[in-house]
Amino acid sequence: MPIELTIQCLHPHILKWEEIPKSTKKERTSFQVRILNETNNRQLGYLSLDLTPAGDIDNKFCCFYNEDGTHEIMQSIFYEFDEQTKKVIPVENLSFIFYNLESGLEEKVSFYKEDGNLKCVTINKQSLRNHAFDRIVWTEDEVKENSEFFSRYCNNATIKEASPLICDFTNYIINKDVTDKLEKIQRLKRILAHNDNSFSKDYYDKLKKELEYLENPKNDIFNDFYGEYIGNTIIKLDSKWILILETLKDDYHYFTSIDITNTDAFDVDFYHERKDGTSYYQAIKNSDKTPMFRTKIENGKEILIPLGEHITDNELKNFEIFKSYCVENFDTIESKRMATLYLDRYSQSKKSRELIKR
């Protein structure tokens, strides 16, 4: 169907269209435009909009830079249709990036939202690099390159399926570890339920044994953790990599720490399957399943609750270290809505315009 897209720009920037279709297509319609400065020698922004054949928004992406190229804001929103609820669910990733030329570091804070709810916060620092040479396939080297790293994903309910869109990739890999068993059980049950005698008896028995093995709690290395799994946190602490599993029981959040240093915990192939998880799985199996501390959300704040009669020094210390990375809880961050800056209100004078450009 015919469609027209225009952009209003109240400043003397140059809009350079890469694509500007006049109608929707059988598959996907893509609009792309670059924002250049007045002298046409630096890109200050990029916007893209993809539409379905029906003209609905499929995904949006935009990024903006300052004149010096030291600061960047990047936002992407995918719109997924939920077959069960028949609702369109927006999945958003918003990142603030500072290219620190003095320290030689790229400092980045990312927020992940699903249907308007904050699910993950990632804070990381790594050496400055040319992103034109970024890898197409994700590798564990990307984790190792970080000089500082913190990423917390919390679902606030039992995680039944892993998605790479609503959290950092490190969190996703751990989520996949925990949820893979349930997905395999459901797949095997479907195969066995639709057996039309085309399987040989040996193959049928093999599938049945695999199902029995997966359904046995003794064969699940994540089964011994206290409560229902709702998320995980990855922290680089000095030279150590720490995995903290977050579980839920009776409205309390329990946090259990596992040292995954030198276990190749994030070494996966193109299909996100582990290449060799021997040392990683061994670390999970041998870990102390006693929670470090527990919390409860009261009046929108994350409060430390003693595991026993009183809060111990270790519980307080571990909680304070954990909170030092991300001081505010997700509800508080979520309540601070991003304000929209209408540039035309502040650009009446030459001085104000120079301020906006910076």
Side-chain angles (χ1 to χ4, degrees), residues 253-289:
H253 291 233
Y254 291 83
F255 298 80
T256 307
S257 176
I258 306 157
D259 187 345
I260 55 171
T261 309
N262 299 325
T263 62
D264 295 325
F266 308 106
D267 192 15
V268 295
D269 60 20
F270 180 79
Y271 301 100
H272 303 161
E273 299 292 339
R274 290 196 174 279
K275 293 180 182 178
D276 179 14
T278 305
S279 57
Y280 163 73
Y281 290 132
Q282 198 64 41
I284 300 291
K285 188 176 180 180
N286 296 339
S287 64
D288 184 358
K289 307 301 189 296

Side-chain angles (χ1 to χ4, degrees), residues 74-114:
M74 184 166 55
Q75 182 191 42
S76 62
I77 307 178
F78 292 88
Y79 296 87
E80 295 186 327
F81 183 74
D82 191 317
E83 289 288 350
Q84 292 183 336
T85 62
K86 305 300 179 185
K87 284 178 57 181
V88 175
I89 307 296
V91 179
E92 177 186 358
N93 173 214
L94 176 65
S95 296
F96 297 87
I97 309 166
F98 172 38
Y99 302 100
N100 192 331
L101 304 180
E102 291 185 6
S103 65
L105 291 175
E106 177 182 313
E107 304 175 18
K108 185 176 181 181
V109 180
S110 298
F111 302 91
Y112 299 82
K113 283 187 175 184
E114 183 183 37

Side-chain angles (χ1 to χ4, degrees), residues 117-130:
N117 300 312
L118 186 63
K119 296 282 187 174
C120 179
V121 173
T122 301
I123 305 164
N124 66 295
K125 294 181 182 181
Q126 61 182 14
S127 298
L128 289 172
R129 69 176 192 271
N130 187 345

Side-chain angles (χ1 to χ4, degrees), residues 168-301:
D168 184 81
F169 206 81
T170 53
N171 304 113
Y172 161 70
I173 292 171
I174 305 301
N175 287 341
K176 194 171 184 296
D177 284 332
V178 183
T179 59
D180 253 8
K181 186 194 75 166
L182 181 60
E183 291 180 19
K184 287 177 182 176
I185 288 173
Q186 291 173 341
R187 178 174 56 82
L188 286 171
K189 284 182 175 179
R190 285 196 300 269
I191 294 172
L192 292 170
H194 291 86
N195 179 27
D196 54 2
N197 296 320
S198 59
F199 296 151
S200 66
K201 186 178 183 304
D202 287 344
Y203 184 64
Y204 182 83
D205 290 342
K206 183 180 177 182
L207 293 179
K208 204 169 179 182
K209 282 183 179 179
E210 185 180 354
L211 179 61
E212 289 173 358
Y213 177 86
L214 291 171
E215 288 186 318
N216 187 342
K218 293 181 180 178
N219 299 320
D220 183 5
I221 61 172
F222 294 98
N223 190 62
D224 294 333
F225 290 93
Y226 192 76
E228 296 290 324
Y229 175 73
I230 62 168
N232 70 80
T233 299
I234 311 294
I235 300 176
K236 183 175 185 181
L237 189 61
D238 298 325
S239 60
K240 284 190 174 183
W241 283 93
I242 306 298
L243 164 63
I244 299 174
L245 294 186
E246 187 168 349
T247 52
L248 182 69
K249 188 173 178 64
D250 300 329
D251 294 328
Y252 293 106
H253 291 233
Y254 291 83
F255 298 80
T256 307
S257 176
I258 306 157
D259 187 345
I260 55 171
T261 309
N262 299 325
T263 62
D264 295 325
F266 308 106
D267 192 15
V268 295
D269 60 20
F270 180 79
Y271 301 100
H272 303 161
E273 299 292 339
R274 290 196 174 279
K275 293 180 182 178
D276 179 14
T278 305
S279 57
Y280 163 73
Y281 290 132
Q282 198 64 41
I284 300 291
K285 188 176 180 180
N286 296 339
S287 64
D288 184 358
K289 307 301 189 296
T290 307
M292 293 189 300
F293 59 86
R294 68 172 176 174
T295 65
K296 190 173 185 178
I297 306 298
E298 294 182 356
N299 300 320
K301 292 185 178 181

Side-chain angles (χ1 to χ4, degrees), residues 4-11 13-20 31-35 45-49 61-62 64:
E4 184 179 351
L5 180 68
T6 59
I7 293 179
Q8 263 193 339
C9 188
L10 303 176
H11 300 275
H13 297 103
I14 298 169
L15 299 180
K16 179 177 173 54
W17 288 92
E18 298 293 327
E19 290 188 41
I20 183 164
F31 294 89
Q32 298 178 54
V33 64
R34 300 179 187 277
I35 303 172
Y46 171 83
L47 301 93
S48 71
L49 181 72
F61 175 84
C62 64
F64 302 97

Side-chain angles (χ1 to χ4, degrees), residues 138-154:
W138 191 92
T139 69
E140 183 171 290
D141 288 339
E142 294 190 32
V143 179
K144 293 178 179 177
E145 286 170 2
N146 288 280
S147 58
E148 292 182 30
F149 189 85
F150 170 90
S151 187
R152 180 186 181 187
Y153 169 76
C154 180

